[in-house]
Amino acid sequence: MPSAAERTRTLVQSTCSAVLLVPGLEAALPAPLTPEVRTVGPDGDVYLVHPADSPVVRAATHAEADDLPAVLELTDVAPVSVPNRIRGRAWLSGWLTCVPGVAEPGRMMVRLELGNISVDDLWGIETVSPDDFAGAAPDPLVEYEAELLQHLHAGHGDQVRSLWALLDERRAGAGAAVPLALDRFGFRVRFTREGSGSPADRSFDARFEFPEPVRDVAGLRREMHRLFDAAEVRVGVPPCTVSFTVFAGKPRTRSALRALSSNAGRAE
């Protein structure tokens, strides 16, 4: 499975929504607090680009001792419609400074030096050290994942639903099956049983692990064919042929927003 550091790094370098939370700017509309570009430097610092006249840049420019506490909040929403659509959130807190002369005219780059990192996603709630974050790499499928999930949902819905056949007897049944997440290690599907009650109460996730991590879209295509072929001939396939894990209970992520005051413990 991907580490918490890798999952967080993937979120930062994905297209998921982001907002920069800065003390004193709580009344500002979300748009001016949303970075136009975000990237990670070789030392693990996060670099963000904002309009030069944005509230974030003004606050960083006038911060005392050039140190402005801030939290980058990331929200990952599934690119297809499913019950409980938020897949995860991450919070990267640290200290903000301007980096003049790098961005194009009318823009300013700011650097977020990280102090505390936490992620609350489909795997659970974990903290990540800045060193682990700096050493992690984003998932190689991150730039393709949304398009691939949408393609699977729109063009291969019957094959995704056929994966019900690969579940164990306790989970076997019928209903909806929606592709939820993809990474180099496996494929996660959200199943929703037929019956009464809310879709959220009837839903559960199952993750189908690949025998080996895939390196690119070509490798993913081979693994998806293998998975769908196994479902098609399920009658003759032993349960252990395809490795999967069921995540029981109502799918959820819990908000764990860290207070900006936590930056007070900065190590020198």
Side-chain angles (χ1 to χ4, degrees):
M1 62 173 282
S3 68
E6 180 179 327
R7 300 192 318 264
T8 307
R9 184 76 179 251
T10 299
L11 285 180
V12 171
Q13 297 183 230
S14 73
T15 58
C16 74
S17 64
V19 62
L20 194 60
L21 307 176
V22 179
L25 302 184
E26 291 84 358
L29 295 174
L33 305 180
T34 299
E36 296 177 349
V37 179
R38 57 182 190 259
T39 188
V40 180
D43 54 0
D45 291 342
V46 178
Y47 292 87
L48 310 168
V49 174
H50 288 263
D53 61 351
S54 71
V56 168
V57 172
R58 290 199 299 269
T61 301
H62 297 98
E64 294 184 10
D66 295 328
D67 257 357
L68 180 67
V71 176
L72 180 65
E73 181 181 59
L74 302 159
T75 302
D76 179 30
V77 179
V80 295
S81 180
V82 291
N84 301 294
R85 194 164 178 175
I86 294 179
R87 301 190 300 183
R89 290 188 172 95
W91 298 267
L92 296 86
S93 64
W95 303 271
L96 207 62
T97 54
C98 291
V99 185
V102 177
E104 64 185 43
R107 301 290 182 268
M108 174 65 76
M109 177 175 285
V110 296
R111 176 173 68 103
L112 182 63
E113 179 187 350
L114 299 180
N116 298 294
I117 306 169
S118 61
V119 60
D120 177 5
D121 59 9
L122 297 168
W123 301 96
I125 300 174
E126 297 185 60
T127 58
V128 178
S129 74
D131 286 344
D132 286 345
F133 177 82
D139 188 86
L141 301 179
V142 60
E143 65 177 295
Y144 312 109
E145 187 208 17
E147 182 180 355
L148 289 169
L149 291 174
Q150 291 167 349
H151 172 73
L152 285 168
H153 185 51
H156 301 274
D158 290 343
Q159 288 175 291
V160 176
R161 283 189 295 274
S162 74
L163 298 179
W164 276 98
L166 297 179
L167 302 179
D168 59 29
E169 293 181 357
R170 294 183 301 108
R171 292 284 174 179
V178 179
L180 181 64
L182 271 172
D183 57 59
R184 63 192 178 104
F185 293 101
F187 176 44
R188 187 185 294 251
V189 177
R190 181 154 293 167
F191 293 93
T192 304
R193 294 182 182 278
E194 296 175 345
S196 58
S198 71
D201 290 332
R202 292 184 280 112
S203 297
F204 64 92
D205 292 355
R207 180 175 168 85
F208 300 88
E209 304 290 343
F210 302 144
E212 298 290 339
V214 299
R215 298 180 179 179
D216 49 32
V217 174
L220 174 66
R221 186 179 297 112
R222 288 192 296 271
E223 289 305 321
M224 296 306 299
H225 281 305
R226 182 191 65 84
L227 189 59
F228 292 145
D229 287 347
E232 186 176 352
V233 295
R234 176 63 182 88
V235 174
V237 177
C240 61
T241 299
V242 175
S243 174
F244 70 92
T245 304
V246 171
F247 296 81
K250 185 185 295 186
R252 96 297 172 261
T253 60
R254 288 180 287 168
S255 178
L257 181 58
R258 300 296 187 261
L260 290 173
S261 60
S262 65
N263 288 319
R266 180 179 185 178
E268 298 297 335

